[in-house]
């Protein structure tokens, strides 16, 4: 062999081989440390993009901070009265993906909110606020991401970083353990997101987010709402088995997350309905509420979508006994266990999201609405339409009524609510003291008659009934309801026509139209005005 | 390592095949290849810093290749052939660099000066032949020990006249200059054999009619023959028309690497499988043992008319050793159009296929590492088109994805070659050539299977 084996050459080559081996080994261990079993090519592409965006975000954060010294803040200071929560899934690149928000839209949304003075708080602060342990500034909100996907974190985090926003990630435990996933965050990545200080985590079930067979044919059922099929016994599970199964999953999820990540897991986001794209077999009507009851024993708060039956903001628990109308209303609005979240649609630009959040903010009195824009009317059932200087309500073919109430009015107390309407059919119901779609006080007008009713969770009590020939169908009629202290008074054309002294709580305003023939109820409201019963021009809202 | 290469004086027109390159003017004659620095010490510091970046890139590329192997480990595990191929080819190529690093340098010993005979068979090379021959008179070697044998193999142009002119000039310095004229073309193999037989000196140096040797080429070739086991020595041939276009620049890198890395690695074991005809030296006494057998070599029923140099080397290494001399410098002209290049590559692949099978029959007797490397290379060369087909055709169809890892791995390997060239020659314009290398490797991958299919067809046999 014509070889030159000098010591110098051998040492050099050995040192080189050692260096290469160490580099390769270190690269691998570092990658596993940060990304777990995520495939390499994904970590390189997404990781480097994320690193670059983080650097840019830092610069932006510093710039914004410097700017804040020089600009006069037009943001109202004060304390928060209720906090809205937003739900996101993934932040995607495809603008045609209708289930997930595109990156540019998300950026626009966050930028618009930031500019308008909104601040996303941490989950811990939110929980403390709901428990009454902490006050938060005006225009605080909570951002949540469901499923614990990689695309929930990597595109969104630099934006949150730039604006100093916090967020909460709802992790499906079993999915996070998927090896080599390019969809779900691995446990190592979840450690990382917790370390950034911007993120908190909560439970999104252990493995309840995918379809399970709910009948013999294997049709998909919702884990938390349907009785599932037991194949080797060829039967549906019993309600007890359902309860056990749900309890196990919820408990297992909480324990697993607390153990793995060392953080308290007090919140649970229900994987149900349109969050799973599984419609279910609906073979167990009590399923969802059973799950809710079980979850209440395991977690402190449970997140559900807003369902148009309640206000969009969430209020703190109330420890004080209901000694007066104000405290009674507080108790009724307070979060018991369920926290409502607004699902952010993929086509909401920043201005639209801002309008939705602003609509939920406490509205001041006096309040006037001529319906040129939507100031936050929540339609609980039926079809409503506004924006052309009037507000029309129409019952759909199966329904006998249409109901809508005004978001942001829930903290009102002691006011008169008058409207101008075109009324030609059915019972016109002017609602006040609304705390949700089934709990309110109302003046129910029908030709020649008015009744004062009080509804609590859909159970209606008639407090007064008065005949009055002045009350008739017509255009531009002026029904009204006044609430003050323990008095509920009905007005027609600004003069009182009935009263009751059985008022027990306050709340916001709403409108309903009812007719016994389904599909016929219809009403057009032209304008409304709400005036406070105080010498000052603002209401005495619930403190 | 970075010895400045002085520019050889340029012949008037360089012609390859039927294509005509741009005519060079007197101005070209004046521009040196690389400026000779006035201050040697400043050149030393500057070149160390100059090369630091490329060195780092070189080792970083190896690191990335290793990372790629690690990343794709799972899929390699699942697909045994792919996995084996992937690991083997990386190991093989890196081993070539490793062995060439350990190649022993041989110092020139003035006391050993065997007599040499230059043999130049030529056909229709009127533009270059004079320069080729002229250079024999400029070598740094005792002129009385040199003889020159030139064969005109049925040229139809002014080659013979040019030969006679150059020979006449030489006769003043060199004792014996023989010019043989054949009316009818007999083929290069006949020309080489005739030249070797006419020669009387100890070492026969075959030089192509479009190759130019450096003055110290001879002594760096002959110094190896003091070892009686050595039967053949390959010179280091660089590309003469490097700067013509990106294709020639790419071939420059290819030539450089194939000599300085691959032949050097083979040379460590004395089993260089091809001492190329552009400039190689053979011990005449050993040559005569098999020259007729070689001349009448038959393959698949017909006489072999191509791959003469590779075939001759294979005959030599059956019994003796063939090595490579990195100091013996020569230059050759390469195709500057793709069509001519493709034809040349096809020809070379056919001769490679034939000769590799023949050498495979006895290579197992050699040094185990050399034998393993040889058979590994055979395997890799034949499997490459299969892997290529799978990566670039099957995979995109099945997975709807580009074969990023395959193309990236291939590219990185070629980058490693390109950087190596850059470090050792200081030539900055290597990147585009490397990309061209990658391109050409991909689009000419079909040539090897095609060579196997058309092995019997000797239509492209002549140059």
């Amino acid at each position: 062999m014509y070889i030159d084996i000098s010591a110098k050459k051998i040492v050099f080559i050995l040192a080189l081989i050692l260096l290469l081996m160490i580099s390769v080994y270190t690269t691998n261990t570092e990658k596993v440390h940060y990304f777990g079993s995520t495939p390499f090519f994904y970590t390189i592409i997404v990781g480097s993009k994320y690193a670059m965006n983080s650097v840019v975000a830092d610069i932006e954060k510093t710039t914004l901070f410097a700017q804040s010294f020089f600009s006069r803040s037009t943001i109202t200071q004060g304390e928060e009265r209720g906090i809205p929560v937003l739900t996101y899934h993934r932040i995607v690149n495809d603008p045609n993906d209708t289930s997930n928000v595109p990156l540019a839209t998300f950026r626009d949304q966050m930028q618009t909110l930031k500019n308008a003075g909104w601040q996303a708080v941490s989950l811990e602060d939110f929980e403390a606020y709901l428990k009454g342990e902490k006050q938060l500034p005006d225009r605080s909100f909570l951002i949540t991401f469901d499923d614990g996907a990689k695309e929930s974190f990597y595109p969104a985090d630099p934006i949150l970083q730039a604006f100093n926003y916090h967020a909460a990630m709802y992790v499906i435990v079993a999915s996070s353990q998927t090896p080599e996933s390019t969809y779900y965050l691995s446990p190592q990545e979840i450690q990382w997101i917790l370390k950034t200080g911007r993120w908190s985590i909560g439970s999104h079930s252990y493995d309840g987010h995918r379809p399970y067979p709910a009948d013999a044919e294997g049709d998909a059922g919702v884990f938390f709402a349907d009785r599932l099929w037991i194949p080797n016994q060829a039967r549906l599970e019993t309600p007890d088995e359902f309860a056990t199964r749900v309890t196990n999953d919820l408990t297992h999820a909480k324990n697993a997350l607390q153990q793995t990540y060392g953080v308290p897991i007090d919140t649970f986001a229900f994987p149900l309905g349109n969050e799973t794209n599984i419609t279910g077999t609906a073979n167990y009507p009590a399923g969802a509420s059973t799950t809710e009851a079980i979850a209440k024993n395991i977690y402190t708060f449970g997140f559900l979508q807003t369902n148009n039956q309640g206000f969009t903001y969430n209020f703190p628990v109330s420890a004080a006994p209901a000694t007066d109308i104000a405290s009674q209303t507080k108790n009724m609005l307070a979060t018991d266990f369920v926290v409502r979240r607004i699902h952010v649609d993929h086509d909401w630009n920043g201005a639209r999201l801002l309008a939705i959040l602003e609509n939920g903010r406490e509205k001041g009195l006096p309040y006037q609405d001529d319906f040129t824009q939507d100031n936050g009317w929540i339609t609980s059932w039926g079809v409503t339409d506004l924006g052309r200087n009037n507000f029309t309500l129409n019952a759909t073919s199966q329904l006998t009524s249409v109901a809508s109430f005004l978001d942001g009015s829930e903290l009102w107390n002691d006011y008169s609510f008058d409207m101008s309407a075109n009324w030609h059919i059915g019972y016109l119901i002017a609602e006040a003291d609304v705390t949700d779609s089934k709990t309110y006080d109302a003046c129910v007008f029908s030709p020649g008659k008015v009744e004062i009713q009080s509804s609590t969770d859909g159970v209606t009590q008639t407090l007064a009934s008065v005949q009055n020939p002045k009350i008739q169908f017509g255009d531009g009629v002026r029904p009204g309801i006044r609430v003050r202290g323990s008095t509920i008074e009905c007005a027609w054309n600004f003069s009182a026509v009935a009263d009751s002294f059985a008022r027990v709580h306050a709340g916001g305003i709403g409108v309903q139209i009812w007719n016994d023939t389904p599909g016929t109820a219809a009403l057009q409201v032209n304008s409304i005005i709400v005036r406070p019963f105080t010498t000052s021009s603002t209401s005495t809202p619930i403190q | 390592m970075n010895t400045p290469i002085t520019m050889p004086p340029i012949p008037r027109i360089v012609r390859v095949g039927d294509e005509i390159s741009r005519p060079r003017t007197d101005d070209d004659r004046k521009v040196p290849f690389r400026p000779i620095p006035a201050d040697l010490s400043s050149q030393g510091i500057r070149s160390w810093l100059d090369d630091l970046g490329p060195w780092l890139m070189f080792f970083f590329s190896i690191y990335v290749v290793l990372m790629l192997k690690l990343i794709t480990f799972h899929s390699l595990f699942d697909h045994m052939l792919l996995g084996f191929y992937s690991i083997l080819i990386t190991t093989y190529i890196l081993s070539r660099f490793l062995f060439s690093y350990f190649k022993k340098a041989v110092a020139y010993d003035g006391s050993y000066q065997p007599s040499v005979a230059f043999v130049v068979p030529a056909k229709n090379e009127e533009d270059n032949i004079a320069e080729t021959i002229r250079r024999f008179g400029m070598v740094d070697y005792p002129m009385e020990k040199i003889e020159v044998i030139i064969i005109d193999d049925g040229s139809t142009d002014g080659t013979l006249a040019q030969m006679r002119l150059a020979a006449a000039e030489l006769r003043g310095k060199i004792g014996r200059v023989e010019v043989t004229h054949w009316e009818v073309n007999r083929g290069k193999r006949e020309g080489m054999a005739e030249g070797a037989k006419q020669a009387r000196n100890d070492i026969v140096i075959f030089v192509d009619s479009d190759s130019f040797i450096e003055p110290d080429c001879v002594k760096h070739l002959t110094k190896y023959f003091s070892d009686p086991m050595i039967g053949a020595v390959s010179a280091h041939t660089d590309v003469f028309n490097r700067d013509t276009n990106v294709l020639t620049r790419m071939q420059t890198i290819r030539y450089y690497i194939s000599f300085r890395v691959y032949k050097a690695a083979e040379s460590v074991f004395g089993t260089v499988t091809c001492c190329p005809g552009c400039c190689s030296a053979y011990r005449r006494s050993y040559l005569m043992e098999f020259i007729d057998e070689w001349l009448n070599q038959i393959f698949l029923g017909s006489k072999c008319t191509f791959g003469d140099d590779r075939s001759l080397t294979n005959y030599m290494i059956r019994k003796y050793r063939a090595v490579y001399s990195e100091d013996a410098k020569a230059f050759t002209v390469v195709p500057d159009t793709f069509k001519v290049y493709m034809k040349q590559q096809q020809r070379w692949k056919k001769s490679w296929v034939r000769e590799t099978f023949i050498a495979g029959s006895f290579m197992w007797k050699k040094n185990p590492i050399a034998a393993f490397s040889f058979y590994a290379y055979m395997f890799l060369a034949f499997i490459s088109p299969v892997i290529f087909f799978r990566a670039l055709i099957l995979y995109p169809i099945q997975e709807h994805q580009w074969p990023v890892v395959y193309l990236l791995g291939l590219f990185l390997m070629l980058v490693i070659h390109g950087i190596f060239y850059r470090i050792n020659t200081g030539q900055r314009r290597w990147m585009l050539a490397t990309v061209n290398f990658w391109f050409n490797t991909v689009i000419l991958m079909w040539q090897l299977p095609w060579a196997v299919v058309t092995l019997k067809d000797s239509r492209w046999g002549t140059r």
Side-chain angles (χ1 to χ4, degrees):
Chain A
M1 296 224 304
Y2 302 100
I3 200 157
D4 167 27
I5 310 184
S6 68
K8 177 175 148 206
K9 285 195 170 185
I10 299 259
V11 167
F12 175 72
I13 290 290
L14 284 178
L16 195 64
I17 292 176
L18 194 66
L19 184 66
L20 282 169
M21 276 172 51
I22 291 175
S23 309
V24 170
Y25 177 76
T26 312
T27 310
N28 193 46
T29 41
E30 283 301 285
K31 172 255 176 196
V32 170
H33 173 71
Y34 285 103
F35 294 94
S37 62
T38 310
F40 251 106
F41 71 90
Y42 188 90
T43 64
I44 292 168
I45 296 171
V46 172
S48 43
K49 216 176 5 170
Y50 172 74
M52 278 195 306
N53 286 339
S54 289
V55 169
V56 172
D58 256 337
I59 297 171
E60 194 172 351
K61 185 161 144 183
T62 319
T63 318
L64 282 174
F65 183 71
Q67 267 179 2
S68 68
F69 281 115
F70 296 101
S71 62
R72 263 177 300 132
S73 178
T74 53
I75 296 154
T76 53
Q77 293 307 308
E79 287 166 350
E80 183 49 82
R81 327 272 243 131
I83 294 194
V85 181
L86 300 180
T87 312
Y88 290 92
H89 286 82
R90 292 181 291 135
I91 306 297
V92 295
N93 289 322
D94 179 11
N96 297 324
D97 183 343
T98 53
S99 332
N100 294 293
V101 175
L103 180 61
T105 310
F106 181 72
R107 171 85 210 190
D108 179 36
Q109 290 170 353
M110 295 296 113
Q111 179 86 65
T112 312
L113 293 181
K114 182 75 179 177
N115 289 346
W118 286 85
Q119 186 63 31
V121 298
S122 71
L123 183 62
E124 289 77 31
D125 279 351
F126 179 72
E127 286 180 55
Y129 168 80
L130 283 185
K131 287 191 245 182
E133 295 163 8
K134 185 169 182 165
Q135 263 295 359
L136 288 176
D138 195 10
R139 290 190 168 91
S140 295
F141 71 112
L142 177 69
I143 304 175
T144 64
F145 288 87
D146 277 5
D147 302 344
K150 283 179 155 66
E151 278 185 300
S152 302
F153 175 74
Y154 289 109
D157 187 55
I159 298 174
L160 300 178
Q161 184 185 357
F163 297 138
N164 221 358
Y165 275 4
H166 295 258
M169 182 77 75
Y170 283 87
V171 176
I172 308 166
V173 183
S175 303
S176 74
Q177 293 163 350
T178 315
E180 296 177 18
S181 177
T182 55
Y183 187 93
Y184 292 106
L185 292 166
S186 62
Q188 287 86 349
E189 287 169 294
I190 297 175
Q191 297 279 18
W192 166 258
I193 78 171
L194 288 171
K195 242 196 246 154
T196 63
R198 290 184 283 280
W199 290 80
S200 315
I201 59 170
S203 163
H204 202 34
S205 86
Y206 193 89
D207 197 10
H209 204 286
R210 52 190 177 86
Y212 286 81
D215 62 21
E217 288 81 44
D219 292 325
V222 177
F223 186 91
F224 288 108
D226 294 332
R227 284 161 62 188
L228 299 184
W229 183 256
I230 307 176
N232 53 9
Q233 292 179 34
R235 62 170 179 87
L236 277 183
E237 63 184 353
T238 65
D240 280 341
E241 285 168 336
F242 174 92
T244 313
R245 174 172 59 76
V246 166
T247 310
N248 286 344
D249 185 286
L250 294 180
T251 320
H252 196 186
K254 175 174 175 158
N255 293 339
L257 288 173
Q258 283 183 170
Q259 233 175 355
T260 314
Y261 304 105
V263 290
I265 304 290
D266 304 317
T267 59
F268 174 66
F270 288 81
L272 279 175
N274 63 358
E275 292 190 23
T276 56
N277 288 324
I278 304 165
T279 42
T281 54
N283 60 14
Y284 186 33
S289 49
T290 309
T291 301
E292 207 176 298
I294 294 171
K296 200 164 162 181
N297 289 331
I298 301 170
Y299 299 96
T300 316
F301 297 109
F303 288 86
L304 280 174
Q305 305 274 78
T306 52
N307 54 6
N308 294 340
Q309 308 306 316
F311 293 97
T312 56
Y313 279 36
N314 299 285
F315 296 91
V317 297
S318 192
T323 50
D324 59 359
I325 300 226
S327 55
Q328 174 65 15
T329 317
K330 259 184 95 179
N331 287 352
M332 293 168 78
L333 289 174
T335 303
D336 181 19
F337 168 69
V338 172
V339 173
R340 294 285 170 185
R341 303 192 288 179
I342 301 167
H343 180 266
V344 180
D345 284 344
H346 76 288
D347 55 356
W348 289 1
N349 64 6
R352 175 123 181 236
L353 180 61
L354 178 64
I356 289 168
L357 290 185
E358 290 285 334
N359 279 344
R361 277 186 83 233
E362 184 197 342
K363 291 180 161 66
L365 290 174
Y367 174 77
Q368 270 179 290
D369 201 339
D370 60 358
F371 306 108
T372 47
Q373 65 180 50
D374 184 356
N375 290 315
W377 286 93
I378 300 174
T379 303
S380 305
W381 53 84
V383 171
T384 60
D385 184 31
L386 49 58
R388 281 174 295 177
N389 283 36
N390 55 50
F391 185 31
T392 55
L393 294 85
N394 286 291
T396 51
S397 55
Q398 319 280 33
L399 296 175
T400 52
S401 64
V402 191
S404 186
F405 60 95
L406 182 64
D407 203 12
S409 65
E410 63 267 40
L411 296 175
W412 289 349
N413 192 11
D414 297 345
Y415 53 87
S416 75
F417 165 36
D418 294 286
M419 69 175 96
S420 160
N422 296 357
W423 174 44
H424 298 284
I425 188 172
Y427 291 75
L428 192 160
I429 302 166
E431 298 174 4
D433 301 332
V434 177
T435 57
D436 63 47
S437 64
K438 300 244 171 78
T439 308
Y440 51 83
D441 298 323
C443 290
V444 182
F445 297 93
S446 52
K449 189 161 109 177
V450 62
E451 286 190 350
I452 301 181
Q453 291 180 354
S454 174
S455 263
T456 307
D457 292 328
V459 176
T460 310
Q461 207 188 358
T462 307
L463 302 173
S465 182
V466 175
Q467 309 276 17
N468 190 321
K470 284 198 239 163
I471 301 170
Q472 296 297 336
F473 290 143
D475 282 346
V477 297
R478 297 193 161 272
I481 177 170
R482 289 91 192 276
V483 289
R484 186 183 190 174
S486 15
T487 311
I488 307 169
E489 194 178 76
C490 299
W492 187 262
N493 283 339
F494 299 107
S495 47
V497 288
D499 53 32
S500 158
F501 301 100
R503 181 171 180 252
V504 290
H505 67 87
I509 60 165
V511 178
Q512 224 187 105
I513 182 79
W514 185 92
N515 197 29
D516 44 19
T517 314
T520 56
L523 181 70
Q524 178 178 307
V525 183
N526 300 314
S527 64
I528 65 168
I529 179 161
V530 183
R531 282 169 297 190
F533 276 120
T534 52
T535 47
S536 68
S537 61
T538 52
S539 70
T540 48
I542 315 290
Q543 292 300 330
Chain B
M1 206 153 48
N2 278 342
T3 49
I5 303 167
T6 51
M7 174 80 144
I10 305 146
R12 278 207 192 85
I13 297 174
V14 174
R15 183 183 281 175
V16 180
D18 292 327
E19 314 295 335
I20 301 174
S21 309
R22 67 174 177 89
R24 290 170 196 256
T25 64
D26 281 342
D27 285 326
D28 292 318
R29 210 183 274 264
K30 294 186 199 126
V31 173
F33 199 81
R34 177 170 155 149
I36 298 164
D39 180 8
L40 228 52
S41 61
S42 70
Q43 185 221 6
I45 295 168
R46 198 181 62 217
S47 65
W48 177 84
L49 279 176
D50 258 358
D51 292 340
L52 183 64
W55 271 120
L56 288 175
M57 250 182 99
F58 182 76
F59 291 116
F60 182 72
S61 303
I62 296 179
Y63 159 78
V64 176
V65 168
L66 293 175
M67 284 306 304
L68 270 180
K69 299 297 157 198
L70 182 69
I71 290 169
T72 55
F73 186 70
H74 283 302
S75 60
L76 297 181
F77 216 67
D78 295 332
H79 196 286
M80 287 308 285
L81 179 66
L82 195 65
F84 183 64
Y85 170 86
S86 175
I87 308 266
L88 186 65
I89 196 162
T90 308
T91 313
Y92 179 81
I93 293 176
L94 291 178
S95 75
R96 298 301 95 189
F97 282 93
L98 189 69
F99 284 125
S100 66
Y101 180 66
F102 284 108
K103 179 186 184 293
K104 188 170 178 185
V106 171
Y108 174 65
D109 180 6
S111 63
Y112 175 73
Q113 285 183 327
S115 53
V116 307
F118 287 104
V119 172
V120 188
K123 181 193 164 187
N124 289 345
E125 205 67 63
E126 66 179 353
D127 303 307
N128 296 322
I129 191 68
E131 180 62 25
T132 304
I133 296 169
R134 201 170 289 134
R135 281 167 177 253
F136 298 152
M138 302 193 299
V139 300
D140 178 17
Y141 205 74
M143 289 292 150
E144 66 274 13
K145 295 203 172 172
I146 299 178
E147 63 182 2
V148 178
I149 321 283
I150 312 162
I151 320 275
D152 169 30
D153 189 9
S155 297
T156 54
D157 63 0
T159 302
L160 186 58
Q162 288 290 316
M163 278 182 185
R164 290 201 167 123
L165 215 65
E169 282 179 32
L170 272 188
R171 281 204 180 91
K173 296 181 245 183
I174 292 177
R176 182 175 172 235
V177 183
E178 305 282 351
V179 179
T180 305
H181 170 65
W182 288 341
E183 263 310 315
V184 179
N185 174 265
R186 298 189 202 178
K188 188 173 178 199
R189 201 175 286 227
E190 293 275 348
M192 284 167 78
E194 177 67 22
K197 285 178 184 166
Q198 278 190 27
R200 294 179 205 142
N201 289 350
D202 300 329
I203 309 290
V204 173
I205 303 181
F206 293 105
V207 179
D208 268 355
S209 47
D210 60 356
S211 300
F212 317 111
I213 62 171
E214 286 285 286
D216 57 2
C217 181
V218 179
K219 68 186 198 199
H220 287 307
L221 283 173
T222 58
K223 68 186 180 186
Y224 283 88
F225 286 102
S226 56
D227 177 352
M229 284 303 299
I230 305 274
V233 180
S234 163
H236 176 91
T237 305
D238 274 321
V239 167
F240 184 75
N241 51 338
R242 179 193 67 201
D243 290 323
T244 305
N245 56 29
V246 74
L247 186 68
T248 59
R249 227 189 307 282
M250 178 272 282
Q251 290 175 78
T252 306
I253 298 183
R254 263 195 104 173
Y255 264 72
Y256 188 84
I257 297 290
S258 78
F259 280 93
R260 280 282 268 112
V261 178
Y262 290 83
K263 269 197 223 305
E266 284 179 312
S267 179
V268 166
F269 304 99
T271 54
V272 174
T273 49
C274 176
C275 293
C278 27
C279 182
S280 297
Y282 289 80
R283 200 188 299 266
R284 190 174 178 278
S285 51
Y286 296 172
L287 205 55
M288 290 302 124
E289 290 175 26
F290 48 76
I291 196 153
D292 285 317
E293 196 187 331
W294 168 70
L295 192 54
N296 299 312
Q297 183 188 20
I298 297 207
F299 187 73
L300 296 182
S302 22
K303 213 165 171 213
C304 297
T305 54
F306 55 84
D308 315 305
D309 45 11
R310 190 176 276 274
S311 171
L312 189 62
T313 313
N314 270 339
Y315 275 101
M316 184 60 84
I317 61 174
R318 272 171 217 257
K319 206 168 144 195
Y320 304 104
R321 298 211 183 118
V323 293
Y324 154 76
S325 172
E326 64 273 6
D327 315 304
K329 300 269 169 50
F331 290 88
T332 194
V333 178
V334 296
D336 56 4
T337 60
F338 182 74
K339 198 163 146 204
V340 180
Y341 172 72
M342 193 182 80
K343 282 194 186 160
Q344 179 203 61
Q345 292 300 302
Q346 188 60 34
R347 220 168 44 235
W348 287 5
K349 293 225 170 33
K350 279 171 71 167
S351 59
W352 183 87
V353 171
R354 183 192 73 214
E355 290 306 319
T356 300
F357 274 111
I358 293 171
S361 64
F362 61 81
M363 195 57 80
W364 53 271
K365 296 181 204 162
K366 303 284 174 184
N367 177 293
I369 303 177
F372 180 75
S373 306
F374 177 84
Y375 293 115
Y377 187 62
M378 261 182 87
F379 171 79
L380 289 169
F382 283 109
I383 297 294
S384 286
V386 174
I387 304 289
F388 176 82
F389 174 76
R390 187 192 165 275
L392 260 72
I393 295 169
L394 277 185
Y395 182 79
I397 290 176
Q398 285 174 351
E399 308 283 331
H400 306 290
Q401 273 180 37
W402 285 104
V404 175
V405 174
Y406 174 83
L407 290 173
L408 183 65
L410 180 63
F411 184 69
L412 276 171
M413 276 305 178
L414 298 181
V415 162
I416 290 173
H417 289 100
I419 299 179
F420 187 82
Y421 169 79
R422 154 72 184 85
I423 291 169
N424 284 295
T425 63
Q427 283 303 303
R428 275 180 167 65
R429 302 167 74 180
W430 61 272
M431 192 42 157
L432 199 59
T434 304
V435 174
N436 186 281
F437 197 171
W438 179 72
F439 236 41
N440 278 300
T441 306
V442 167
I443 57 187
L444 293 182
M445 189 65 78
W446 58 269
Q447 282 193 326
L448 189 58
W450 185 244
V452 174
V453 166
T454 59
L455 202 50
K456 246 200 126 178
D457 181 356
S458 54
R459 261 179 310 149
W460 287 344
T462 50
R463 275 209 284 139

